[in-house]
Coordinates of all heavy atoms in Angstrom, one line a residue:
Q126 N 49.7 -18.2 -26.3 CA 50.6 -17.5 -25.4 C 49.9 -16.3 -24.8 O 50.1 -16.1 -23.6 CB 51.9 -17.2 -26.0 CG 52.7 -18.4 -26.5 CD 52.9 -19.4 -25.3 OE1 53.3 -19.0 -24.2 NE2 52.7 -20.6 -25.6
R127 N 49.2 -15.5 -25.6 CA 48.6 -14.3 -25.0 C 47.4 -14.7 -24.1 O 47.2 -14.1 -23.1 CB 48.1 -13.4 -26.2 CG 49.3 -12.7 -26.9 CD 48.8 -11.8 -28.0 NE 48.4 -12.4 -29.2 CZ 49.2 -13.0 -30.1 NH1 50.5 -13.0 -29.9 NH2 48.8 -13.5 -31.2
L128 N 46.7 -15.8 -24.4 CA 45.7 -16.3 -23.5 C 46.2 -16.7 -22.2 O 45.7 -16.4 -21.1 CB 44.9 -17.4 -24.2 CG 43.9 -17.1 -25.2 CD1 43.4 -18.3 -26.0 CD2 42.7 -16.4 -24.7
R129 N 47.4 -17.4 -22.2 CA 48.0 -17.8 -21.0 C 48.4 -16.6 -20.2 O 48.4 -16.7 -18.9 CB 49.2 -18.8 -21.3 CG 48.7 -20.1 -21.7 CD 49.8 -21.1 -22.0 NE 49.3 -22.4 -22.3 CZ 50.0 -23.4 -22.8 NH1 51.3 -23.2 -23.1 NH2 49.4 -24.5 -23.1
G130 N 48.9 -15.6 -20.8 CA 49.2 -14.3 -20.2 C 48.0 -13.7 -19.5 O 48.2 -12.9 -18.5
E131 N 46.8 -14.0 -19.9 CA 45.6 -13.5 -19.3 C 45.0 -14.5 -18.3 O 43.9 -14.3 -17.7 CB 44.5 -13.3 -20.4 CG 44.9 -12.2 -21.3 CD 44.8 -10.8 -20.7 OE1 44.0 -10.6 -19.7 OE2 45.5 -9.9 -21.1
G132 N 45.8 -15.6 -18.0 CA 45.3 -16.6 -17.0 C 44.4 -17.6 -17.6 O 43.8 -18.3 -16.8
V133 N 44.3 -17.8 -18.9 CA 43.4 -18.8 -19.5 C 44.3 -20.0 -19.8 O 45.3 -19.9 -20.6 CB 42.8 -18.2 -20.8 CG1 41.9 -19.3 -21.4 CG2 41.9 -17.0 -20.4
E134 N 44.0 -21.1 -19.2 CA 44.7 -22.3 -19.5 C 43.9 -23.1 -20.5 O 42.8 -23.6 -20.2 CB 45.0 -23.1 -18.3 CG 46.1 -22.6 -17.4 CD 47.4 -22.5 -18.2 OE1 47.8 -23.4 -18.9 OE2 48.1 -21.5 -18.0
T135 N 44.4 -23.2 -21.7 CA 43.8 -24.0 -22.8 C 45.0 -24.6 -23.6 O 46.1 -24.6 -23.2 CB 42.8 -23.2 -23.6 OG1 42.1 -24.1 -24.5 CG2 43.5 -22.1 -24.4
S136 N 44.6 -25.2 -24.7 CA 45.7 -25.9 -25.5 C 45.6 -25.3 -27.0 O 44.6 -24.7 -27.3 CB 45.4 -27.4 -25.6 OG 44.2 -27.6 -26.2
V137 N 46.6 -25.5 -27.7 CA 46.6 -25.0 -29.1 C 45.6 -25.7 -29.9 O 45.0 -25.1 -30.8 CB 48.0 -25.1 -29.7 CG1 48.4 -26.6 -30.1 CG2 48.1 -24.3 -31.0
S138 N 45.3 -27.0 -29.6 CA 44.2 -27.7 -30.3 C 42.8 -27.1 -30.0 O 42.0 -27.0 -30.9 CB 44.2 -29.2 -30.0 OG 43.9 -29.4 -28.6
Q139 N 42.6 -26.6 -28.8 CA 41.4 -25.9 -28.5 C 41.3 -24.5 -29.1 O 40.2 -24.1 -29.5 CB 41.2 -25.8 -27.0 CG 40.7 -27.1 -26.4 CD 39.4 -27.5 -26.9 OE1 38.4 -26.8 -26.8 NE2 39.3 -28.6 -27.6
V140 N 42.5 -23.8 -29.2 CA 42.5 -22.6 -30.0 C 42.1 -22.8 -31.4 O 41.3 -22.0 -32.0 CB 43.9 -21.9 -29.8 CG1 44.0 -20.7 -30.8 CG2 44.2 -21.5 -28.4
A141 N 42.6 -23.9 -32.0 CA 42.2 -24.3 -33.4 C 40.7 -24.5 -33.5 O 40.1 -24.0 -34.4 CB 43.0 -25.5 -33.8
V142 N 40.1 -25.3 -32.5 CA 38.7 -25.6 -32.6 C 37.9 -24.3 -32.6 O 36.9 -24.1 -33.3 CB 38.3 -26.5 -31.4 CG1 36.8 -26.5 -31.2 CG2 38.9 -27.9 -31.6
H143 N 38.3 -23.3 -31.8 CA 37.7 -22.0 -31.6 C 38.4 -20.9 -32.3 O 38.5 -19.7 -31.9 CB 37.5 -21.7 -30.2 CG 36.7 -22.7 -29.4 ND1 35.3 -22.8 -29.5 CD2 37.1 -23.7 -28.6 CE1 34.9 -23.8 -28.8 NE2 35.9 -24.4 -28.2
F144 N 39.1 -21.2 -33.5 CA 40.0 -20.3 -34.1 C 39.3 -19.0 -34.5 O 40.0 -17.9 -34.2 CB 40.6 -21.0 -35.4 CG 41.7 -20.2 -36.0 CD1 42.9 -20.1 -35.4 CD2 41.5 -19.4 -37.1 CE1 44.0 -19.4 -35.9 CE2 42.5 -18.7 -37.7 CZ 43.8 -18.6 -37.1
D145 N 38.2 -19.0 -35.0 CA 37.5 -17.7 -35.4 C 37.3 -16.8 -34.2 O 37.6 -15.6 -34.2 CB 36.2 -18.0 -36.2 CG 36.4 -18.6 -37.5 OD1 37.6 -18.5 -38.1 OD2 35.5 -19.2 -38.1
D146 N 36.8 -17.4 -33.1 CA 36.5 -16.6 -31.9 C 37.8 -16.1 -31.3 O 38.0 -15.0 -30.8 CB 35.7 -17.3 -30.9 CG 34.2 -17.4 -31.3 OD1 33.7 -16.5 -32.0 OD2 33.6 -18.4 -31.0
A147 N 38.8 -17.0 -31.2 CA 40.1 -16.7 -30.6 C 40.8 -15.6 -31.5 O 41.4 -14.6 -30.9 CB 41.0 -17.9 -30.6
S148 N 40.7 -15.7 -32.8 CA 41.3 -14.6 -33.6 C 40.5 -13.3 -33.4 O 41.1 -12.2 -33.4 CB 41.2 -15.0 -35.1 OG 42.0 -16.1 -35.3
A149 N 39.2 -13.4 -33.3 CA 38.4 -12.1 -33.0 C 38.8 -11.5 -31.7 O 39.0 -10.3 -31.6 CB 36.9 -12.5 -33.0
W150 N 39.1 -12.3 -30.7 CA 39.5 -11.8 -29.4 C 40.9 -11.1 -29.6 O 41.2 -10.0 -29.1 CB 39.6 -12.8 -28.3 CG 40.4 -12.4 -27.1 CD1 39.9 -11.6 -26.1 CD2 41.7 -12.7 -26.8 NE1 40.9 -11.3 -25.2 CE2 42.0 -12.0 -25.6 CE3 42.7 -13.5 -27.4 CZ2 43.3 -12.1 -25.0 CZ3 43.9 -13.6 -26.8 CH2 44.2 -12.9 -25.6
D151 N 41.8 -11.8 -30.3 CA 43.2 -11.3 -30.5 C 43.2 -10.0 -31.2 O 44.0 -9.2 -31.0 CB 44.0 -12.4 -31.2 CG 45.5 -12.2 -31.1 OD1 45.9 -11.8 -30.0 OD2 46.2 -12.4 -32.1
A152 N 42.2 -9.8 -32.1 CA 42.1 -8.6 -32.9 C 41.3 -7.5 -32.2 O 41.0 -6.5 -32.7 CB 41.4 -8.9 -34.3
K153 N 40.9 -7.9 -30.9 CA 40.1 -7.0 -30.1 C 38.7 -6.7 -30.6 O 38.1 -5.7 -30.3 CB 40.9 -5.7 -29.8 CG 42.2 -5.9 -29.1 CD 42.9 -4.7 -28.6 CE 44.2 -4.9 -28.0 NZ 44.8 -6.1 -27.7
A154 N 38.2 -7.6 -31.4 CA 36.8 -7.5 -31.9 C 35.8 -8.0 -30.9 O 34.6 -7.6 -31.0 CB 36.7 -8.2 -33.2
I155 N 36.2 -8.9 -30.0 CA 35.4 -9.3 -28.9 C 36.2 -9.3 -27.6 O 37.4 -9.3 -27.7 CB 34.8 -10.7 -29.1 CG1 35.9 -11.8 -29.2 CG2 33.9 -10.8 -30.4 CD1 35.5 -13.2 -29.2
T156 N 35.5 -9.2 -26.5 CA 36.2 -9.2 -25.2 C 36.6 -10.6 -24.8 O 36.1 -11.6 -25.3 CB 35.3 -8.6 -24.1 OG1 34.2 -9.5 -23.9 CG2 34.8 -7.2 -24.5
L157 N 37.5 -10.6 -23.8 CA 37.9 -11.9 -23.2 C 36.7 -12.6 -22.6 O 36.5 -13.8 -22.7 CB 39.0 -11.7 -22.2 CG 39.6 -12.9 -21.5 CD1 40.1 -13.9 -22.6 CD2 40.6 -12.6 -20.5

């Protein structure tokens, strides 16, 4: 949902595939 708010269209299955990186972005450890 937060990615979609940033204009990123992906799926929950793709968030799962890239879970570590997506979580790092959500924690502001890496940039969008």
Side-chain angles (χ1 to χ4, degrees):
Q126 294 309 311
R127 288 183 285 285
L128 284 167
R129 287 184 176 163
E131 293 291 331
V133 178
E134 284 301 319
T135 190
S136 65
V137 74
S138 63
Q139 281 299 299
V140 171
V142 168
H143 301 283
F144 188 75
D145 291 340
D146 285 329
S148 294
W150 168 77
D151 199 41
K153 300 187 182 354
I155 63 172
T156 65
L157 182 58

